[in-house]
């Protein structure tokens, strides 16, 4: 079963997300909920001070800019490439560059980035049945593909996220390994763009874990 390479967008769509990210070599906890930040799959590595908005990002030292980028997608080559092309005139220009670099991830880059992803912790109010179903679904996916399930839920209403995640896992469990790598790479690219837009648009620091 094959999966065509996604078409590169000409102009990135505006996006906000409350996803957060922290590098880890193995997937962590494996459940989430409709009201959790999904897939807020980690908290970001500490940067050296606040990077407020696009102006701050453009003016930051390379190590600070790369730390913020690594909190969005944990591929060092991706982060270095995006940081190296500063200054960006607009947020859209930065997001377009992040997209372009995301399309060009090598196999090793993708492995590095996926190894840092993990599933969100469940909301305390999540029903026990939902927690159990998601835990089992995430475990089955990770057993099949060796990394955490990644999906961009940008634009999905909170009340629909649980169903979206469960449906996504169940659908993608039937993929061949190489097909799933293509899909995971595209979802990771979308997550990276959404995380980056959120951090800079909301003027967060790289230490901020989101709401």
């Amino acid at each position: 079963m094959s999966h065509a390479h996604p078409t590169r967008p000409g102009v990135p769509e505006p996006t906000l997300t409350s996803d957060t990210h922290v590098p880890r070599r193995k997937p962590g906890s494996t459940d989430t909920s409709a009201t959790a930040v999904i897939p807020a799959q980690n908290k970001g590595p500490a940067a050296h001070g606040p990077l407020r908005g696009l102006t701050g990002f453009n003016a930051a030292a390379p190590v600070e800019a790369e730390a913020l980028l690594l909190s969005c997608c944990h591929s060092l080559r991706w982060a270095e490439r995006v940081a190296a092309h500063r200054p960006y005139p607009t947020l859209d220009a930065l997001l377009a560059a992040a997209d372009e670099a995301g399309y060009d991830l090598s196999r090793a880059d993708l492995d590095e980035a996926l190894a840092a992803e993990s599933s969100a912790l469940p909301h305390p109010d999540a029903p026990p049945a939902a927690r159990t179903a998601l835990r089992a679904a995430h475990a089955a996916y990770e057993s099949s593909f060796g990394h955490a399930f990644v999906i961009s839920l940008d634009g999905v209403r909170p009340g629909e996220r649980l169903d979206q995640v469960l449906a996504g896992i169940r659908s993608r469990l039937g993929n061949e390994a190489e097909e799933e790598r293509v899909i995971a790479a595209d979802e990771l690219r979308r997550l990276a763009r959404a995380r980056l837009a959120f951090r800079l648009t909301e003027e967060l620091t790289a230490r901020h874990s989101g709401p």
Side-chain angles (χ1 to χ4, degrees):
M1 188 174 182
S2 60
H3 186 84
H5 193 290
T7 302
R8 303 188 184 200
V11 179
E13 61 193 71
T15 177
L16 290 175
T17 179
S18 50
D19 292 331
T20 53
H21 182 87
V22 66
R24 287 194 288 186
R25 304 308 298 172
K26 294 181 180 179
S29 60
T30 56
D31 60 273
T32 183
S33 77
T35 52
V37 178
I38 304 174
Q41 294 172 22
N42 327 10
K43 296 182 181 179
H48 300 161
L51 304 184
R52 297 195 178 278
L54 182 63
T55 300
F57 177 77
N58 282 334
V63 67
E64 294 174 319
E66 290 168 13
L68 183 143
L69 289 163
L70 284 169
S71 77
C72 301
C73 176
H74 197 68
S75 160
L76 181 59
R77 192 170 74 93
W78 177 86
E80 290 175 341
R81 176 176 170 181
V82 176
H85 286 84
R86 294 175 300 157
Y88 293 96
T90 64
L91 179 60
D92 277 358
L94 170 58
L95 297 180
D99 262 350
E100 187 69 19
Y103 281 115
D104 293 335
L105 291 177
S106 69
R107 190 177 190 89
D109 296 332
L110 180 58
D111 286 342
E112 178 187 22
L114 287 174
E117 296 293 326
S118 62
S119 303
L121 293 173
H123 190 278
D125 295 333
R131 297 165 66 97
T132 299
L134 279 169
R135 186 180 297 113
H138 280 297
Y141 181 93
E142 291 175 20
S143 176
S144 294
F145 299 110
H147 59 78
F149 177 74
V150 291
I151 185 171
S152 174
L153 296 173
D154 187 40
V156 178
R157 290 182 293 186
E160 299 173 354
R161 290 176 176 177
L162 174 61
D163 288 342
Q164 190 86 356
V165 172
L166 281 172
I169 294 175
R170 289 164 180 164
S171 173
R172 288 163 56 181
L173 271 173
N175 292 338
E176 297 294 334
E178 287 307 308
E179 179 187 18
E180 181 56 24
R181 283 181 66 85
V182 173
I183 297 172
D186 190 45
E187 293 293 336
L188 187 66
R189 176 187 59 78
R190 295 173 61 204
L191 275 173
R193 187 178 74 177
R195 288 164 175 166
L196 182 55
F198 176 73
R199 280 159 173 75
L200 296 186
T201 303
E202 296 300 309
E203 296 189 344
L204 299 180
T205 71
R207 294 181 181 182
H208 200 295
S209 62

